[in-house]
Amino acid sequence: STTPVKVAVTGAAGQIGYSLLFRIASGAIFGPDTPVELRLLEITPALKALEGVVMELDDCAFPTLAKVEIGDDAEKMFDGVNHALLVGARPRGPGMERGDLLEANGGIFAPQGKALNKVAADDIRVTVTGNPANTNALIAMSNAPDIPQERFAALTRLDHNRAISQLAAKLGVPVTEIRKMTIWGNHSATQYPDLFHAEVGGKNAAEAVNDQDWLANTFIPTVAKRGAAIIDARGASSAASAASATIDHVRDWALGTPEGDWVSMSVVSDGSYDVPEGLISSFPVTVKDGEWEIVQGLEIDDFSRGKIDASTKELAEEREAVKGLGLI
Ligand code: NAX
């Protein structure tokens, strides 16, 4: 098609933005034949730096980049957008309690939800990368009553990709051998990366690993705490890998998941797997024609049950907290 897909990115002058924008502009989401128009939202003090990033985008002369607009007004930037990638968020500052963090982010994601509700295209799909991603997505969704709830998702694809990479390294196989990885729950240290339904070369991954101690005491915490390990090593939080995961997530949501595989997305729960209804929690999903579906019928043993419940309990507490703050 020659009509550009309109993609909004918030926090566009940040470190994830610096990787993400160039990948989108080069066609990494929609392919080499679909032009994209970028709508970049930032806070006013970051607009000058963003102008510099746009100069670099110009200098790439990407054939798929039809147009770039920047601004600090959400209603203008979101006008007619087909995808919104909500990356900009308020990080936890020194002495900030969880309640303060949720409140500060409510001040970002409630108005952005309202703006999307008012001006986005009818086929809008919203992906929240900015942390706390699941609850920020819940806030945006709750403030956009005219947009179907299934159009909101939070990013757990980075955790999914990390889990694939750790498993492939453990077994000495290429990542292409791994299928059906699942992250359950919250994008936080309580998340549950599940090997009991994953496959390696068509065989069950937990059986291929055959080491419950590694699975419980090395694999799960390595994936769940990878963000902190990156900060320790790099002196800055994951950016290129987060951008890459955001690309993977939006591409699969727009174009579909491959036959015989699924991906992890945090989407609104319909009560599947006893995840409380209405929470935005990570599930195994397949996507066809732009619509995701939670994979049904997986058997959940006691070990997995405990891990999923612990993470969804945290999500329910976050929901209570933002309800108490009047954000949803
Ligand atoms: P940066 O601090 O480099 O960039 C954030 C940008 O957002 C800044 O330029 C800031 O001006 C902008 N911003 C703040 N409020 C805004 C608003 N109301 N409207 C528009 N823009 C606004 O952070 P970066 O490293 O890029 O990370 C962005 C977010 O991604 C953070 O919340 C981070 O915690 C989160 N992450 C999420 C991950 C995930 O897997 N879901 C992994 C990576 C990352 O930690």
Side-chain angles (χ1 to χ4, degrees), residues 60-72:
C60 293
F62 288 121
T64 39
L65 184 58
K67 193 175 172 186
V68 186
E69 279 183 38
I70 73 169
D72 56 6

Side-chain angles (χ1 to χ4, degrees), residues 227-241:
I230 301 281
I231 292 173
D232 273 350
R234 204 173 86 87
S237 59
S238 19
S241 55

Side-chain angles (χ1 to χ4, degrees), residues 48-132:
K48 179 156 185 278
L50 185 55
E51 280 171 19
V53 178
V54 174
M55 288 162 71
E56 286 203 76
L57 280 167
D58 290 343
D59 293 351
C60 293
F62 288 121
T64 39
L65 184 58
K67 193 175 172 186
V68 186
E69 279 183 38
I70 73 169
D72 56 6
D73 181 339
E75 278 192 24
K76 276 191 193 144
M77 287 307 108
F78 292 162
D79 188 28
V81 297
N82 310 107
H83 286 269
L85 280 45
L86 307 186
V87 178
R90 179 74 188 278
R92 190 187 290 252
M96 223 172 160
E97 298 294 332
R98 192 178 66 166
D100 303 328
L101 182 74
L102 293 171
E103 192 166 19
N105 278 292
I108 297 174
F109 289 86
Q112 289 184 358
K114 290 190 172 88
L116 287 164
N117 193 61
K118 206 166 161 189
V119 300
D122 282 346
D123 67 350
I124 178 68
R125 284 169 174 74
V126 184
T127 296
V128 178
T129 295
N131 281 321

Side-chain angles (χ1 to χ4, degrees), residues 10-11 13-17 41-43 46 87-89 108 112 129-131 133 155 158-159 187 237-238 242:
T10 71
Q15 50 150 6
I16 293 175
L41 182 71
E42 259 294 353
I43 53 173
V87 178
I108 297 174
Q112 289 184 358
T129 295
N131 281 321
L155 187 77
L158 178 55
D159 310 293
H187 169 68
S237 59
S238 19

Side-chain angles (χ1 to χ4, degrees), residues 128-213:
V128 178
T129 295
N131 281 321
N134 297 60
T135 296
N136 287 342
L138 182 72
I139 294 169
M141 181 182 86
S142 306
N143 282 278
D146 303 325
I147 300 175
Q149 295 198 328
E150 60 271 16
R151 303 290 189 74
F152 289 82
L155 187 77
T156 29
R157 186 60 174 269
L158 178 55
D159 310 293
H160 176 101
N161 288 346
R162 285 167 171 167
I164 288 176
S165 162
Q166 292 296 322
L167 176 63
K170 165 77 172 171
L171 296 174
V173 301
V175 290
T176 48
E177 291 289 299
I178 315 277
R179 298 244 163 102
K180 301 184 177 174
M181 185 58 74
T182 306
I183 304 292
W184 300 91
N186 198 1
H187 169 68
S188 77
T190 67
Q191 66 175 265
Y192 172 46
D194 173 4
L195 291 189
F196 294 100
H197 302 100
E199 293 176 1
V200 180
K203 298 197 174 65
N204 181 272
E207 283 167 23
V209 166
N210 194 26
D211 183 347
Q212 179 64 20
D213 179 59

